[in-house]
Amino acid sequence: PANLQFRFQATNQNIFILESLDFEETSQHEISILATDMNSSSSVCLFVYVLDVNDNKPLFDKQIYELYFQENNQIGDLVHSFNISDLDRGVNGDTFLYFIEENIYFYFELIQNNLIAKIEFDFEEIPFLEFEVT
C-alpha cells in the first residue's frame, strides 16, 4: 500500500522504518508477518507503539491579551486564566508559565495557568502595566 511506513527484508528478517513516525498522527501500528516454507505457513502480529517526544510547543489561545480589572482588589485575587494547548501528551504536554520581565513578580504570581495579584492595585499609582509571559 502507498501508506506503508515499514519494509520487511526477508534475507535477514529485519524490519525498517521508511519514514519518521509521529505520535500525534498515529501512536500504534499493527504489522502482520507471514512465514512460509511452501508446505505450511504461520503468521504473527507485530504491534509497534510510538512513544511521544516533546516536539510541539505550547500555544496560547491569543497572541496579545488586554486585561482590565478593578482597583482595590484583594491580594490573591485571580486576574486571568490563560488557555494554553500543547499537542504532546503526558509530561511532554505539561506547560509552565514564566514572566520574561523579573520585576513583574512583584505585582503578580503565576500558579499553573492563572495570573494572581500579589498586591492591591491603585489606579492612581499604577494605571497601566505591560509585560510578557512565556
Side-chain angles (χ1 to χ4, degrees), residues 39-115:
N39 283 333
S40 60
S41 63
S42 176
S43 64
V44 68
C45 190
L46 175 66
F47 291 96
V48 177
Y49 299 98
V50 181
L51 301 176
D52 191 24
V53 296
N54 199 357
D55 58 344
N56 294 290
K57 65 182 181 180
L59 298 172
F60 288 89
D61 63 338
K62 297 180 185 179
Q63 292 295 323
I64 297 174
Y65 293 88
E66 290 186 26
L67 307 176
Y68 300 90
F69 59 97
Q70 300 293 323
E71 68 177 336
N72 303 321
N73 61 291
Q74 299 293 312
I75 294 172
D77 278 356
L78 174 67
V79 176
H80 184 73
S81 288
F82 293 100
N83 186 10
I84 304 166
S85 62
D86 190 322
L87 293 177
D88 292 315
R89 304 270 165 76
V91 296
N92 293 329
D94 290 345
T95 57
F96 304 93
L97 299 179
Y98 302 94
F99 294 116
I100 292 177
E101 297 93 0
E102 289 291 323
N103 63 327
I104 296 300
Y105 283 102
F106 175 77
Y107 304 104
F108 301 104
E109 65 180 324
L110 291 164
I111 300 177
Q112 295 171 347
N113 293 349
N114 298 319
L115 182 66

